[in-house]
């Protein structure tokens, strides 16, 4: 791959403006530094937050932008101080590629809450250059932010675990919802939601999927293994289910009322928000006061938790349900994702795609 001092060219698919349309884009990778790993990208998952980024939904997007943060690839070059990886390893890279390493969250190994964290795309790296994501042929990443994909795990299956999987695993782990016998709810059955069902079931929970319509009932119960299914507009069934859940993982990425779901929680139950929503959510305070209930949030997971969820899923035989596409289909895939028309995660076969056309 050449010497460590030579900058390399990468080809990715980038958005140029808030239309969010991706097309081929050539840019320069930074040198592979002493602590860096260069990765040839094999697969990259498509997350709903990629849509927010390319369309500037949060008002913070910079262009050109190569999205994609569920990256699986092969190590092709390592810096002289890299100890965790060697050429040929199959590895994963998630949403984070940098942090300050000195603040309290960093010292506690929860670097996803570092105020100076660096995103893998739509951010500026320490060298002053923009970061670019995984819809590309190569990336250079500091070894701290790279994880080994367990032997025997299909690389395309691993991709969604690097965001959707760890996003669910982290709060279940942190809030003590990782023991068997609990009753949990999964609100919204998309990419994160379907991993929520699978991981919670693997932890031994009774899992209820909560959705706005009946159309995913059979999939939730028969294919994903959920124990129950609630339609949020069915007032009778919702009342029957009141005070029955220890937690609800709320994956809905658009504005929605919280009160119907707060009523499903037991005393001390937690509603855990995971959807990126750029408008205020509302509830009346007695809904939480009268059951000592909590509305909280959780953001992806730490590098430690990312390693844990990969090994947990390998041990428990948990797989993600994916639809594999080539890069020339990415704009159609994003349109379909916006309509929730995917079961349940698009994964781009980057290495099998012609990126320059």
């Amino acid at each position: 791959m050449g010497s460590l001092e030579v900058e390399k060219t990468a080809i990715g698919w980038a958005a140029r403006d808030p239309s969010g349309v991706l097309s081929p884009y050539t840019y320069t990778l930074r040198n592979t530094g002493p602590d860096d790993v260069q990765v040839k990208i094999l697969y990259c998952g498509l997350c709903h937050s990629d849509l927010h980024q390319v369309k500037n939904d949060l008002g913070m997007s910079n262009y050109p932008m190569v999205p994609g943060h569920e990256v699986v690839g092969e190590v092709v070059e390592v810096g002289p101080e890299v100890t965790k990886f060697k050429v040929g390893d199959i590895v994963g890279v998630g949403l984070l590629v940098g942090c300050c390493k000195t603040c309290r969250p960093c010292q506690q190994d929860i670097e996803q809450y570092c105020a100076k964290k660096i995103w893998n795309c739509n951010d500026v790296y320490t060298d002053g250059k923009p970061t670019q994501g995984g819809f590309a042929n190569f990336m250079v990443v500091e070894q701290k932010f790279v994880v080994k994909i367990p032997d025997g795990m299909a690389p395309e299956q691993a991709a969604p675990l690097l965001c959707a999987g760890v996003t669910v695993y982290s709060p279940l782990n942190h809030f003590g919802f990782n023991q068997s016998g609990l009753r949990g709810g999964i609100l919204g059955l998309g990419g994160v939601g379907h991993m929520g069902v699978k991981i919670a079931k693997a932890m031994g929970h009774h899992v209820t999927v909560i959705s706005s319509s009946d159309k995913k009932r059979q999939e939730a119960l028969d294919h994903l293994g959920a124990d129950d299914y609630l339609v949020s507009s069915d007032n009778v069934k919702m009342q029957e289910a009141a005070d029955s859940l220890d937690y609800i993982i709320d994956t809905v990425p658009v504005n929605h009322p919280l009160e119907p779901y707060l009523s499903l929680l037991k005393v001390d139950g937690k509603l855990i928000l995971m959807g990126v929503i750029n408008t205020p959510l509302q509830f009346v305070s007695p809904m939480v006061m009268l059951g000592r209930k909590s509305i909280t949030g959780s953001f992806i997971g730490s590098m430690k938790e990312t390693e844990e969820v990969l090994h947990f899923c390998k041990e428990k035989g948990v797989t993600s349900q994916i639809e594999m596409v080539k890069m020339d289909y990415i704009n159609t895939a994003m349109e379909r994702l916006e309509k929730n028309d995917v079961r349940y995660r698009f994964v781009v076969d980057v290495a099998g795609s012609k990126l320059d056309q």
Side-chain angles (χ1 to χ4, degrees):
M1 291 299 298
S3 73
L4 297 179
E5 291 76 29
V6 178
E7 286 192 333
K8 303 165 191 74
T9 298
I11 302 174
W13 275 49
R16 271 42 176 226
D17 55 54
S19 70
V21 174
L22 305 188
S23 58
Y25 172 62
T26 301
Y27 55 100
T28 303
L29 292 175
R30 75 172 186 270
N31 297 336
T32 304
D35 206 30
D36 286 340
V37 173
Q38 187 181 162
V39 179
K40 177 186 177 183
I41 298 169
L42 303 175
Y43 301 98
C44 187
L46 174 61
C47 175
H48 205 280
S49 60
D50 290 318
L51 285 180
H52 287 302
Q53 292 274 30
V54 299
K55 290 180 177 290
N56 198 26
D57 288 344
L58 304 177
M60 300 183 296
S61 296
N62 298 292
Y63 304 97
M65 181 204 307
V66 178
H69 56 263
E70 296 179 340
V71 184
V72 176
E74 179 184 352
V75 175
V76 294
E77 186 174 67
V78 297
E81 295 175 17
V82 171
T83 57
K84 295 171 61 179
F85 306 100
K86 64 183 186 302
V87 171
D89 283 348
I90 302 300
V91 298
V93 180
L95 189 57
L96 299 187
V97 294
C99 64
C100 78
K101 301 177 184 170
T102 58
C103 68
R104 186 175 166 192
C106 285
Q107 292 295 311
Q108 294 177 335
D109 289 330
I110 49 172
E111 58 283 318
Q112 72 270 35
Y113 299 115
C114 172
K116 297 180 180 178
K117 61 183 168 287
I118 301 174
W119 313 95
N120 87 327
C121 75
N122 193 35
D123 208 343
V124 178
Y125 200 64
T126 54
D127 61 2
K129 293 183 179 180
T131 59
Q132 301 290 7
F135 293 148
N137 54 358
F138 292 99
M139 68 193 314
V140 175
V141 188
E142 182 188 339
Q143 66 172 336
K144 174 180 172 60
F145 300 96
V146 181
V147 293
K148 178 91 163 57
I149 302 301
D151 291 340
M153 177 176 278
E156 68 274 16
Q157 282 287 339
L161 301 180
L162 300 169
C163 176
V166 74
T167 293
V168 172
Y169 179 88
S170 179
L172 293 178
N173 183 53
H174 172 72
F175 291 119
F177 295 133
N178 52 2
Q179 72 265 36
S180 62
L182 297 175
R183 299 178 72 90
I186 306 294
L187 177 55
L189 198 58
V192 176
H194 100 283
M195 288 309 311
V197 174
K198 292 191 167 208
I199 289 173
K201 284 298 295 179
M203 289 180 173
H205 299 181
H206 181 284
V207 178
T208 298
V209 169
I210 310 158
S211 188
S212 59
S213 76
D214 218 24
K215 65 182 182 181
K216 295 184 180 178
R217 178 184 295 273
Q218 186 174 358
E219 293 173 59
L221 300 176
D222 297 347
H223 301 306
L224 299 179
D227 300 285
D228 208 347
Y229 190 96
L230 272 177
V231 177
S232 55
S233 58
D234 187 336
N235 294 327
V236 173
K237 293 291 186 185
M238 289 286 283
Q239 288 173 11
E240 290 174 358
D243 306 314
S244 67
L245 301 178
D246 295 291
Y247 66 85
I248 295 173
I249 290 177
D250 182 347
T251 74
V252 177
V254 295
N255 198 306
H256 57 287
L258 300 184
E259 290 162 10
Y261 312 110
L262 289 167
S263 68
L264 300 176
L265 294 172
K266 299 176 182 177
V267 171
D268 289 328
K270 283 185 167 54
L271 178 64
I272 305 166
L273 299 176
M274 295 189 174
V276 177
I277 303 167
N278 60 357
T279 54
L281 300 174
Q282 291 184 319
F283 64 95
V284 293
S285 59
M287 291 296 297
V288 292
M289 293 165 55
L290 298 178
R292 202 165 60 190
K293 300 172 185 181
S294 302
I295 300 171
T296 186
S298 183
F299 176 64
I300 53 170
S302 65
M303 298 312 301
K304 181 172 178 287
E305 288 170 325
T306 304
E307 291 178 342
E308 287 176 9
V309 75
L310 287 166
H311 288 285
F312 175 85
C313 290
K314 171 78 186 304
E315 178 189 338
K316 299 289 186 180
V318 174
T319 58
S320 45
Q321 213 162 309
I322 65 173
E323 181 177 336
M324 191 95 76
V325 298
K326 296 289 177 69
M327 192 67 80
D328 60 7
Y329 189 78
I330 189 65
N331 290 307
T332 303
M334 294 180 100
E335 289 173 7
R336 286 179 53 194
L337 176 59
E338 201 160 22
K339 300 171 187 171
N340 201 23
D341 175 25
V342 55
R343 299 295 182 270
Y344 281 91
R345 200 64 149 190
F346 285 116
V347 173
V348 180
D349 177 6
V350 177
S353 299
K354 294 180 179 177
L355 299 184
D356 56 354
Q357 55 185 302

